[in-house]
């Protein structure tokens, strides 16, 4: 079973994504800020992250950069999908420049999210 870490400061979004992904057969871990996501990743095998960009404590861009700098081989290549209400091209570029692999706008389009997850997991 593949494990996906969902990180968003909006608990309702995390729970909605969790319900959907559990129905698809994924094991879900949850974090509510980037620092918490980083700590969970340090202690668990995670196959993919879905990361909100704008969060308190540590935002998704900072968290992604920190994840990519971890001394674990998988940290450099684990797929990270950005979720953000900021859908301009410069926002997408900032996400990709931080080390994220994909960018999905909010509100979340579930079929698009599913497609991105399948694509990202096939690459890893």
């Amino acid at each position: 079973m593949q494990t996906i870490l969902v990180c968003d400061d909006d608990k309702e979004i995390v729970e909605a994504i969790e319900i959907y992904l559990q129905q698809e057969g994924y094991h879900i871990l949850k974090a509510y800020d980037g620092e918490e996501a980083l700590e969970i990743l340090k202690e668990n095998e995670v196959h993919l992250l879905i990361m909100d960009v704008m969060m308190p404590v540590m935002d998704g861009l900072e968290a992604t950069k920190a994840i990519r700098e971890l001394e674990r081989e998988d940290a450099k290549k684990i797929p990270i999908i950005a979720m953000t209400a900021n859908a301009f091209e410069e926002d997408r570029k900032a996400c990709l420049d931080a080390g994220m692999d994909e960018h999905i706008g909010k509100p979340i389009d579930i079929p698009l999210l599913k497609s991105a997850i399948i694509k990202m997991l096939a690459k890893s």
Side-chain angles (χ1 to χ4, degrees):
M1 180 180 293
Q2 292 176 309
T3 299
I4 297 176
L5 172 56
V6 180
C7 181
D8 195 309
D9 59 319
D10 185 328
K11 292 183 180 186
E12 290 178 10
I13 290 174
V14 173
E15 289 174 16
I17 293 172
E18 176 186 28
I19 290 167
Y20 169 73
L21 293 178
Q22 283 178 334
Q23 291 172 348
E24 294 293 313
Y26 297 106
H27 176 251
I28 306 304
L29 298 173
K30 301 178 283 187
Y32 301 101
D33 64 60
E35 190 172 277
E36 188 177 2
L38 186 60
E39 292 306 311
I40 289 170
L41 185 64
K42 286 179 182 178
E43 301 195 10
N44 295 276
E45 181 180 358
V46 175
H47 300 97
L48 182 136
L49 278 88
I50 300 172
M51 177 88 69
D52 185 20
V53 173
M54 299 181 70
M55 296 180 288
V57 183
M58 179 186 281
D59 70 31
L61 300 178
E62 291 176 82
T64 297
K65 289 175 188 174
I67 288 165
R68 296 299 189 215
E69 293 173 0
L70 290 174
E71 293 294 322
R72 289 174 38 177
E73 186 62 34
D74 64 336
K76 312 262 185 283
K77 61 184 179 180
I78 184 170
I80 301 176
I81 299 173
M83 290 189 304
T84 179
N86 300 328
F88 295 109
E89 186 55 36
E90 60 266 20
D91 299 310
R92 179 178 175 77
K93 184 177 180 334
C95 291
L96 298 176
D97 288 348
M100 294 175 165
D101 300 288
E102 186 60 77
H103 178 276
I104 294 179
K106 286 182 178 178
I108 301 299
D109 176 330
I110 294 295
L112 181 62
L113 178 61
K114 180 180 178 182
S115 174
I117 290 169
I118 291 168
K119 181 175 100 176
M120 293 290 108
L121 289 175
K123 285 184 179 181
S124 62

